[in-house]
Amino acid sequence: MSKSFERYQKRKLISSYFSVILSIALVLFLLGVLGLLVINTKKLANHFKEQVAITVFLKDNAKEVEINQLQKSLAMTDYTKTATFVSKEEAAEEHSKEIGENFLDFLGYNPLQNSIDVHLKADYVANDSIKKIADDLAKKDYVADIAYDQPLITLLNENVKRMSFWILVASGVFTLIAVLLINSSIRLSVYSKRFIIKTMQMVGATKRFIRKPFIWNSIKLGMIGALVAIIAMAGVLYYANIKMPQLQLLSDPLSLASLFIGIFVIGIIITWISTYVATQRFLNLRTDDLY
């Protein structure tokens, strides 16, 4: 009978520890994913900005040497990410694919122009910067026109600022929720041992002596939960990097290492504080208030 009760108590204890570890790991994982999003917000914003292109249309009488020189000079500027020459034949073929029919057969000639698609670096994707670049390019005699989507650039920059703001707000709110959820799990774990705490106190144990094993046990649970969360985050990061290699999510190992260490430390600190507060509360209660 005694062994059966001991086995029951052991299973109950393991189940309690497992639920605490799971809740800590889940909360820290979600907090870590949000941290990854915060770290990569600029990368995401830069990725979308660098999809915006300035199209430099060239006159039909533009010489090949002038076109090559312009393309090379654009590629060497500080603001250019890529500069790609698109012949009028390539443009016609692409346009035919988009509309689903060969418009050259209908018109009898190719009305399109040779062009250079210039994708800018993210820092230069702003209306003022692009206007200055476009004005400089338009001064060249063999440049027919400069085209870019000004409303899209304005909308993109506004959305990037809005996204950054709300991600920071969400980070603050979610950090608070994480603290409250982990604190709740730890308090429930300590609550189940409130009679043991009071018994130890009644036989003369000091508060520090009583708190010590509870705090150390919770710290170990927090460390295990944090490690589980970090492993899950690493898996998500690896998978996301395979699916979206252009974002280069693994290109800044120092920031990622700092985030993982931060999650590990947060798991320890929150469990330590929560356990300290919970045990202190039951130590200060009268015996009648335990029921």
Side-chain angles (χ1 to χ4, degrees), residues 201-224:
Q201 189 177 24
M202 291 175 67
V203 296
T206 63
K207 291 183 178 181
R208 183 178 179 181
F209 179 83
I210 296 171
R211 281 196 303 263
K212 187 176 180 180
F214 286 96
I215 290 175
W216 175 236
N217 188 59
S218 293
I219 287 176
K220 287 191 290 185
L221 295 179
M223 291 168 66
I224 295 171

Side-chain angles (χ1 to χ4, degrees), residues 44-64:
L44 287 168
N46 289 349
H47 172 70
F48 288 118
K49 284 183 176 182
E50 289 172 355
Q51 303 308 306
V52 176
I54 298 177
T55 302
V56 182
F57 291 103
L58 305 167
K59 293 179 180 179
D60 291 335
N61 60 358
K63 298 177 182 179
E64 185 177 350

Side-chain angles (χ1 to χ4, degrees), residues 42-207:
K42 185 172 176 58
K43 289 183 182 178
L44 287 168
N46 289 349
H47 172 70
F48 288 118
K49 284 183 176 182
E50 289 172 355
Q51 303 308 306
V52 176
I54 298 177
T55 302
V56 182
F57 291 103
L58 305 167
K59 293 179 180 179
D60 291 335
N61 60 358
K63 298 177 182 179
E64 185 177 350
V65 65
E66 293 174 328
I67 295 173
N68 291 335
Q69 185 178 4
L70 176 61
Q71 184 180 1
K72 289 178 180 178
S73 63
L74 284 170
M76 294 175 63
T77 58
D78 293 335
Y79 56 77
T80 302
K81 184 175 178 64
T82 60
T84 308
F85 174 73
V86 181
S87 67
K88 59 194 303 184
E89 291 77 17
E90 291 173 337
E93 184 179 349
E94 186 65 28
H95 188 61
S96 296
K97 288 180 181 178
E98 289 179 0
I99 64 176
E101 59 179 330
N102 192 345
F103 69 96
L104 297 180
D105 294 338
F106 176 75
L107 294 176
Y109 71 100
N110 188 352
L112 302 179
Q113 296 171 300
N114 295 326
S115 63
I116 298 177
D117 287 338
V118 183
H119 286 84
L120 304 177
K121 293 179 181 177
D123 293 339
Y124 293 90
V125 182
N127 285 322
D128 293 342
S129 300
I130 293 179
K131 186 177 185 306
K132 185 178 183 304
I133 294 169
D135 291 342
D136 290 341
L137 291 172
K139 294 176 183 178
K140 300 184 182 299
D141 295 336
Y142 49 87
V143 172
D145 192 17
I146 310 290
Y148 62 92
D149 195 336
Q150 183 175 347
L152 175 63
I153 294 168
T154 302
L155 183 63
L156 181 60
N157 283 303
E158 289 177 354
N159 285 339
V160 166
K161 290 179 182 178
R162 193 177 296 116
M163 181 179 68
S164 300
F165 171 75
W166 285 112
I167 285 177
L168 288 176
V169 171
S171 300
V173 172
F174 203 85
T175 300
L176 178 61
I177 293 173
V179 171
L180 294 176
L181 288 175
I182 293 177
N183 179 63
S184 178
S185 297
I186 295 296
R187 285 186 63 185
L188 287 173
S189 177
V190 175
Y191 177 80
S192 64
K193 302 178 182 66
R194 64 194 186 281
F195 292 110
I196 297 175
I197 292 173
K198 186 54 67 175
T199 300
M200 293 172 68
Q201 189 177 24
M202 291 175 67
V203 296
T206 63
K207 291 183 178 181

Side-chain angles (χ1 to χ4, degrees), residues 28 219-220 222-228 230 258-271:
L28 291 179
I219 287 176
K220 287 191 290 185
M223 291 168 66
I224 295 171
L227 287 174
V228 172
I230 289 170
S258 299
L259 176 63
F260 290 158
I261 292 172
I263 292 297
F264 188 79
V265 172
I266 287 173
I268 294 174
I269 291 175
I270 294 177
T271 50

